[in-house]
Amino acid sequence: MEIGREFQCEIEKTVFGGDGLARVGGKVVFIPRTLPGERLIARVTACKSSFSRAEAVRFGATSPHRIEPACPYFGRCPGCRYLHAGYAYETGLKAAQLADQLAQAGLEPAPGVLESPVAPEPPLGYRNKIVLHVHKVGGRTMLGYVMGDNTTVTDIEACPLAHPEINAKLAELRGDKSFLHSLHEGMDVTFRRTAAGGATYWRNQPARNATWLKEELPFGWLSVPCGSFFQVNAAGAAALADEVAALIAARKPARFIDLYAGVGFFSAVALHAGVREVLAVESDEAAAAAARFNLKNFGAENPEVIAGDAAEALKSLKDAPASDALLTVDPPRGGLTLKAAMALTGSTLDSFIYISCNPATWARDARRLAKGGFTLNKLRLVNMFPRTEHFELFSFWTR
């Protein structure tokens, strides 16, 4: 296929990342902003040895699940990939993508292991944090998202994914000429919203003495340093908390071990569910300090919080009795390091929860864990990031 060539096709499925997949002359073509079953004329935009990319020119038949995108930047901004599809349909597409990834990885869950996906509401206005970038063009200040070319910044007046209070704060600042003049090329502006404090913002990094944020949970409050990680979707976080609490209720562990603990979210869930003893491990020292504070507030008299490496913490559990312990790991997008995976399979733990925001690295780790003697007992997709290409996985393993 040649760049610029137009062709007719039908979309076979939507792949991870949000593009529609068509086959033309036996070659795979990826076409964004299309849905399965749609027939269209497309134009080739890029050619690779094993696939091509194209853009839709005009549609002959559209999907009944297609809706009008609720954003003027859709198609330019790479953040939202499913604004043209109904939310329930989007969640179904992601579930199909998970099934494809399991098959490609050679993972075949036993009957009943793969559970129905969870679709937290609302699908818009849910993000408690966004980061905008500054670009100066001919005396004009652009404040927005970096586009798909990783260079261009499109000026953003409002983001449909952001909480309404964040968009209100953004509108207020955009109307303040002195604020716009204070921004410099390459600067980041982070907007953060909590129920307790409303919307706030900072340039580049938060002040070192910035007051901790307070996040409201269904069962209490957590303090969060401004620069530390916290789930961006409150409803999605509550769905994960429900999954953890259900396993605690079923297994009744005496001890809860929380690796990549952040500010202690899942440890707080465990304490609220009645677990007597918690161990939290987090590499970010500010988050670890907040975890100590939070867990004391949730009733832990002497919470064991380690500001250190998860793999090293796992190695220390190798010879410890762990039959009454429940481990939770919630690593960043890179997943478990090989060192951490080997320490986990070499430990005495007989069960653990693995929460992942990257199905590709989860599948890689799942193969390692299966070879190490663990069996997948539960896998559930949580659509933590509606309208984007991403989703969360909740899995439970035993041996």
Side-chain angles (χ1 to χ4, degrees):
M1 302 182 76
E2 298 178 352
I3 293 177
R5 174 193 165 188
E6 293 189 358
F7 59 91
Q8 294 182 346
C9 65
E10 181 173 343
I11 302 301
E12 180 180 315
K13 61 181 179 180
T14 302
V15 299
F16 181 69
D19 288 345
L21 181 151
R23 298 181 193 272
V24 181
K27 187 171 185 177
V28 169
V29 184
F30 296 112
I31 310 173
R33 299 180 293 284
T34 58
L35 297 173
E38 293 188 324
R39 295 191 295 276
L40 64 147
I41 293 175
R43 182 183 299 113
V44 177
T45 57
C47 295
K48 305 291 182 181
S49 58
S50 58
F51 67 91
S52 295
R53 296 193 179 279
E55 60 185 2
V57 176
R58 59 183 179 274
F59 287 87
T62 57
S63 169
H65 303 286
R66 178 175 284 275
I67 63 173
E68 187 66 26
C71 181
Y73 312 108
F74 181 66
R76 287 185 288 156
C77 176
C80 289
R81 304 305 298 269
Y82 292 102
L83 280 177
H84 61 305
Y87 180 40
Y89 188 64
E90 169 204 325
T91 302
L93 292 176
K94 291 179 175 179
Q97 292 162 17
L98 173 59
D100 282 348
Q101 289 178 320
L102 291 172
Q104 291 167 11
L107 300 169
E108 187 175 352
V113 168
L114 185 58
E115 299 187 359
S116 58
V118 178
E121 294 282 354
L124 296 174
Y126 64 85
R127 286 194 66 97
N128 61 31
K129 178 183 179 181
I130 63 170
V131 180
L132 301 182
H133 308 278
V134 178
H135 182 45
K136 299 282 190 173
V137 180
R140 182 185 175 196
T141 299
M142 314 286 283
L143 179 61
Y145 292 129
V146 177
M147 298 296 103
D149 59 6
N150 292 318
T151 301
T152 307
V153 172
T154 291
D155 211 28
I156 299 291
E157 293 188 358
C159 173
L161 301 188
H163 191 281
E165 291 180 19
I166 288 179
N167 282 324
K169 175 61 71 174
L170 174 58
E172 173 191 328
L173 293 174
R174 290 180 66 88
D176 181 351
K177 291 184 178 180
S178 64
F179 169 77
L180 293 177
H181 287 318
S182 74
L183 302 179
H184 305 294
E185 174 66 29
M187 182 178 282
D188 292 340
V189 181
T190 298
F191 291 82
R192 189 74 163 79
R193 184 266 176 189
T194 63
T200 187
Y201 73 96
W202 56 84
R203 300 170 179 84
N204 291 333
Q205 300 296 326
R208 297 184 66 179
N209 61 346
T211 302
W212 287 356
L213 304 170
K214 286 188 68 176
E215 284 288 353
E216 184 178 18
L217 307 178
F219 49 85
W221 296 84
L222 285 179
S223 292
V224 184
C226 292
S228 296
F229 170 80
F230 195 76
Q231 299 287 359
V232 299
N233 185 340
L240 292 176
D242 288 345
E243 296 287 347
V244 172
L247 278 174
I248 290 173
R251 299 184 68 84
K252 298 179 173 57
R255 190 182 192 207
F256 187 81
I257 304 168
D258 187 4
L259 302 190
Y260 311 94
V263 298
F265 174 65
F266 292 117
S267 292
V269 172
L271 289 168
H272 180 72
V275 178
R276 300 188 303 275
E277 182 182 351
V278 295
L279 165 63
V281 180
E282 169 55 46
S283 60
D284 175 8
E285 291 188 2
R292 292 188 189 95
F293 176 83
N294 289 325
L295 300 186
K296 285 182 180 179
N297 284 345
F298 273 90
E301 293 184 4
N302 293 297
E304 189 177 0
V305 180
I306 299 174
D309 180 67
E312 291 299 320
L314 279 167
K315 285 172 61 178
S316 71
L317 298 172
K318 184 174 182 180
D319 300 318
S323 59
D324 62 347
L326 179 61
L327 169 74
T328 293
V329 295
D330 184 13
R333 290 190 59 78
L336 297 173
T337 63
L338 179 58
K339 183 179 177 182
M342 291 178 65
L344 183 52
T345 56
S347 73
T348 58
L349 291 164
D350 62 7
S351 63
F352 72 97
I353 296 166
Y354 184 177
I355 298 168
S356 171
C357 61
N358 187 338
T361 55
W362 180 91
R364 178 204 65 201
D365 294 341
R367 291 194 298 270
R368 293 172 177 169
L369 296 168
K371 289 180 180 178
F374 282 102
T375 299
L376 180 62
N377 276 253
K378 177 187 177 80
L379 178 60
R380 192 166 206 177
L381 184 155
V382 178
N383 199 357
M384 178 73 79
F385 314 100
R387 322 317 269 146
T388 78
E389 66 191 79
H390 304 291
F391 53 84
E392 201 97 352
L393 294 178
F394 181 94
S395 61
F396 179 58
W397 299 77
T398 62
R399 63 177 171 188

